[in-house]
Amino acid sequence: MEPDRDAIIAFLETVHPYDTLPRDELASVATSFRRMEFRAGTLVYVFNTPIGGLYLIKQGAVEITDGNGGLVSLLGPRNSFGERGLRSGGIAVTQAKATETSIILVLPAPTFTRLIETYPSFARFFNRKRGERATTDIATQKVADLIARKPLSCSAPTTVVEAAKIMRDAHVSSLGVVDAEEKLLGIVTVRDMSNKVLAGGMAPETPVEAIMTADPVTLPPTALGSDILHIMLERRIGHLPIAEDGRFVGMITQTDLTRFQAVSSAMLIRDVVSAETVEEMATVTARIPQLLVQLVGSHQSHDVVTRLITDIADAVTRRLLVMAEQRFGRPPVPYLWLACGSQGRQEQTGVSDQDNCLILDDAVTEEEMGYFRDLAQIVSDGLNACGYVYCPGDMMATNPRWCQPARVWRDYFHHWINTPNPEAQMLASVMFDLRPIGGAAVGLFQELQAETLELSAKNSIFVAHMISNSLKHTPPLGLIRGFATIRSGEHRNHIDMKHNGVVPVADLARVYALQGRGAAVNTRARLLEAEAKATISASGARDLIEAYDLIAQMRLENQAHLIKAGRKPDNYLAPSDLSDFERSHLRDAFVVVRTMQSALSHNKAVVS
């Protein structure tokens, strides 16, 4: 028995995280393991049954499949499996079968739990979540955390003099104007009183509704501090009301922001807004790679980093639209410029092309279409000059197909939904990620989006085709060391962290949004919405979100590493550059994505 224990100790000393244990603990753990032998073709455990413990392969090979029989991974010596089941109530979430004669060590569940609770190295290794991310700058703070005080408001009939007394007594410079249900009607500021009442000769008894800014721009409490900075800079305002479902919940002012430092993204937005030429904007966007390095280096989460980078693209787009209107004059009819792809989902990184379109008011005439063709060319050329290169697939507003009146767009979506051929599936996938960027005709898109979500969710054939389309991009899981790398060319022995990493999750999230008729466009927001609407189970959502967070974060970290090395960022990662710890976690994340794809393909979207 002693020689067996010594052999197990010697083996464990070569396996992470056991190699981090104190010597006496390692000796104790070695005696806890149960040694089991399995012939080729023998099941180690069965899906959805109680799991015996944590399995560690000492010799041989084990095939892991999901609940539908889909291959997840082929594991070899020193690989562990079964931990997801142990941490999901002790029930196996996969199935394991020995593919050759194997010796497997089984660590009892209580010992596994004790090691997790006692040793941080174990907790880190078997926890797929990334560590808590820093949110010390205003740009990454939630708006709810920036509201300095309870909302101060008055009713529309309140006189100017009464409102002024409220402001004086509370030492504030603005009030929200609300109705009986606390719905925000407008805001009134000291400047309004000075310019419109005192300088304008109005009576002090004038009701505030006569001088207020009606229907002001607002943000929800869930927005980021960067949204405040960008809106204040772009609109040159000093007071921004915060509303939730139309109800006034607070006010953010420039004074509230003085205790925070403006981060680099806000400075870039400021420089974009003040730029007079495309060349000036290009010098601003050239600083984005360094911004990415700084944000990743300060341990910001991937969704915050990509959101801040996307905000810059949005600001550039809006500035180009202003420049185009200054050159060509006022638009003949209302229009809306929209982004799709990564900009539409607010997920841009250090590598982004442009994907955009124009929705025009139905009153537009053929003669007036020339105005929008010229506008689209100016904006698209400007984006390209600023580093947002032309879309290789020509998914741009410069393509006449994607510069059309609302009625044509409605016909497009109806056709894609009712005739889901391969091209329709591809186009629908792209266009379901639309997000308004600039222009005054927001209502055109809101109506189109609501109608499209309703029609698509009701059409089971279309949804089935979209599910099929969403499974075309698969995680790079292989049979050798866990990854299927690119076999030849410039990126040989690398994995594509975009098309085989984040895209499969984005595709899943889009289908969940269709099934649940969710309006969210951002991938992470779609997953949270799917969980809230029970489109997928809470456990499925948590696993997929954690997997997505890890994949997306490692993609950004790799881009930051390339930039610091003086190279252009790309989406290709060499698994050999990762530690055993990182490779294990990345593989586990891909396993989760593969499992969720398999569940969806079998029409089992892990519903609670």
Side-chain angles (χ1 to χ4, degrees):
M1 191 68 182
E2 194 68 22
D4 284 346
R5 192 194 72 158
D6 290 343
I8 291 176
I9 290 175
F11 174 67
L12 293 178
E13 286 177 334
T14 69
V15 181
H16 189 73
Y18 301 95
D19 58 347
T20 66
L21 294 177
R23 183 70 185 180
D24 57 343
E25 180 69 88
L26 185 64
S28 174
V29 169
T31 61
S32 300
F33 274 103
R34 181 160 50 101
R35 184 179 184 275
M36 301 184 70
E37 293 189 17
F38 295 88
R39 291 177 297 178
T42 305
L43 288 174
V44 180
Y45 61 73
V46 178
F47 173 75
N48 205 31
T49 61
I51 197 164
L54 178 71
Y55 297 84
L56 175 61
I57 304 172
K58 189 173 186 295
Q59 178 182 314
V62 173
E63 178 186 82
I64 307 295
T65 55
D66 59 29
N68 300 306
L71 180 63
V72 170
S73 189
L74 183 62
L75 307 179
R78 295 181 178 81
N79 287 150
S80 296
F81 59 98
E83 66 271 16
R84 286 182 61 213
L86 287 178
R87 308 196 76 176
S88 300
I91 302 299
V93 297
T94 56
Q95 182 161 288
K97 181 177 70 174
T99 57
E100 59 185 69
T101 299
S102 302
I103 298 174
I104 298 176
L105 304 178
V106 185
L107 185 68
T111 306
F112 172 73
T113 301
R114 181 179 64 79
L115 292 174
I116 288 286
E117 294 173 349
T118 306
Y119 297 100
S121 59
F122 258 77
R124 286 194 299 270
F125 186 82
F126 290 108
N127 180 8
R128 288 189 305 274
K129 289 184 179 179
R130 306 295 272 182
E132 289 297 316
R133 297 283 163 175
T135 55
T136 55
D137 293 317
I138 185 174
T140 53
Q141 293 280 330
K142 293 292 187 183
V143 166
D145 297 328
L146 296 174
I147 298 175
R149 62 191 304 159
K150 292 182 179 180
L152 288 173
S153 62
C154 65
S155 62
T158 302
T159 65
V160 170
V161 68
E162 290 172 335
K165 289 178 181 178
I166 295 174
M167 292 187 200
R168 180 199 63 191
D169 294 341
H171 303 288
V172 298
S173 57
S174 61
L175 293 175
V177 182
V178 301
D179 63 15
E181 298 177 354
E182 296 299 312
K183 295 289 186 179
L184 183 67
L185 303 176
I187 65 170
V188 60
T189 67
V190 169
R191 187 174 181 179
D192 292 328
M193 295 177 178
S194 174
N195 292 348
K196 299 178 182 178
V197 180
L198 293 179
M202 299 176 72
E205 293 74 27
T206 300
V208 294
E209 62 183 334
I211 66 166
M212 71 179 184
T213 299
D215 299 320
V217 60
T218 65
L219 282 175
T222 54
L224 294 177
S226 63
D227 296 323
I228 300 171
L229 292 169
H230 299 164
I231 288 176
M232 285 185 171
L233 286 168
E234 288 190 40
R235 296 177 179 259
R236 294 177 171 82
I237 59 176
H239 301 80
L240 186 59
I242 309 304
E244 188 171 31
D245 296 328
R247 186 173 57 86
F248 180 54
V249 296
M251 185 82 74
I252 300 289
T253 70
Q254 288 180 340
T255 303
D256 296 326
L257 306 182
T258 56
R259 66 183 185 276
F260 295 99
Q261 281 189 326
V263 298
S264 299
S265 62
M267 303 302 280
L268 266 62
I269 294 287
R270 181 200 65 184
D271 293 345
V272 165
V273 171
S274 61
E276 295 296 332
T277 66
V278 172
E279 290 72 22
E280 289 179 14
M281 278 193 286
T283 63
V284 177
T285 55
R287 289 146 55 192
I288 290 177
Q290 189 56 43
L291 172 64
L292 186 148
V293 170
Q294 292 172 356
L295 292 171
V296 172
S298 61
H299 304 293
Q300 304 298 338
S301 63
H302 72 90
D303 51 319
V304 170
V305 176
T306 55
R307 171 64 184 277
L308 295 179
I309 291 175
T310 304
D311 286 346
I312 298 169
D314 292 353
V316 170
T317 304
R318 286 191 287 266
R319 183 67 184 134
L320 289 167
L321 288 169
V322 169
M323 289 180 174
E325 289 188 19
Q326 289 174 343
R327 177 173 176 178
F328 299 125
R330 291 173 58 86
V333 297
Y335 73 90
L336 192 63
W337 182 282
L338 303 98
C340 47
S342 60
Q343 185 182 3
R345 296 191 304 272
Q346 296 179 301
E347 294 166 5
Q348 287 191 314
T349 66
V351 189
S352 296
D353 59 4
Q354 57 174 292
D355 300 280
N356 45 61
C357 65
L358 274 168
I359 299 180
L360 313 177
D361 189 277
D362 282 335
V364 67
T365 65
E366 183 56 40
E367 290 182 357
E368 292 167 338
M369 289 294 292
Y371 174 96
F372 295 105
R373 284 192 288 269
D374 293 340
L375 178 140
Q377 196 65 57
I378 288 290
V379 177
S380 185
D381 289 346
L383 288 170
N384 184 70
C386 290
Y388 306 101
V389 298
Y390 298 121
C391 172
D394 204 18
M395 301 289 292
M396 298 179 293
T398 50
N399 183 337
R401 189 178 185 185
W402 311 128
C403 176
Q404 292 291 338
R407 65 177 181 275
V408 176
W409 280 100
R410 187 170 287 106
D411 289 343
Y412 282 165
F413 277 98
H414 283 210
H415 174 73
W416 295 334
I417 293 169
N418 293 321
T419 313
N421 56 41
E423 183 193 34
Q425 295 169 36
M426 182 273 292
L427 293 174
S429 294
V430 173
M431 294 303 178
F432 270 112
D433 292 349
L434 286 174
R435 181 173 61 89
I437 304 298
V442 178
L444 294 177
F445 175 68
Q446 292 173 337
E447 294 175 8
L448 178 64
Q449 183 186 46
E451 180 181 333
T452 300
L453 286 173
E454 183 76 17
L455 286 174
S456 59
K458 289 180 178 179
N459 191 322
S460 59
I461 296 177
F462 173 74
V463 173
H465 279 281
M466 288 295 288
I467 290 174
S468 176
N469 187 68
S470 74
L471 303 176
K472 291 180 178 178
H473 295 99
T474 58
L477 288 168
L479 303 183
I480 302 176
R481 290 188 293 276
F483 296 106
T485 59
I486 298 170
R487 295 183 178 181
S488 61
E490 178 185 359
H491 302 296
R492 184 173 180 268
N493 295 328
H494 287 65
I495 54 179
D496 187 339
M497 293 293 283
K498 177 182 177 180
H499 292 103
N500 300 112
V502 295
V503 168
V505 185
D507 289 343
L508 285 171
R510 187 181 302 109
V511 171
Y512 298 150
L514 288 177
Q515 292 176 326
R517 306 182 190 184
V521 176
N522 174 265
T523 296
R524 204 173 193 279
R526 279 172 165 169
L527 295 177
L528 291 170
E529 192 174 57
E531 178 185 9
K533 293 187 174 186
T535 307
I536 54 177
S537 70
S539 61
R542 282 194 301 270
D543 280 352
L544 191 53
I545 290 171
E546 289 176 17
Y548 176 61
D549 285 346
L550 188 142
I551 294 166
Q553 198 72 38
M554 292 187 75
R555 178 193 182 202
L556 285 179
E557 289 170 357
N558 183 58
Q559 289 190 3
H561 173 76
L562 292 172
I563 294 167
K564 287 191 289 186
R567 298 164 57 188
K568 288 186 177 181
D570 61 34
N571 292 301
Y572 299 96
L573 172 69
S576 59
D577 290 341
L578 303 177
S579 66
D580 288 344
F581 174 87
E582 291 170 322
R583 281 197 297 271
S584 177
H585 278 264
L586 184 58
R587 185 199 68 207
D588 288 347
F590 287 144
V591 165
V592 170
V593 178
R594 172 77 66 82
T595 301
M596 296 299 285
Q597 285 185 325
S598 179
L600 186 64
S601 70
H602 286 77
N603 199 29
K604 298 176 181 177
V606 205
V607 177
S608 298

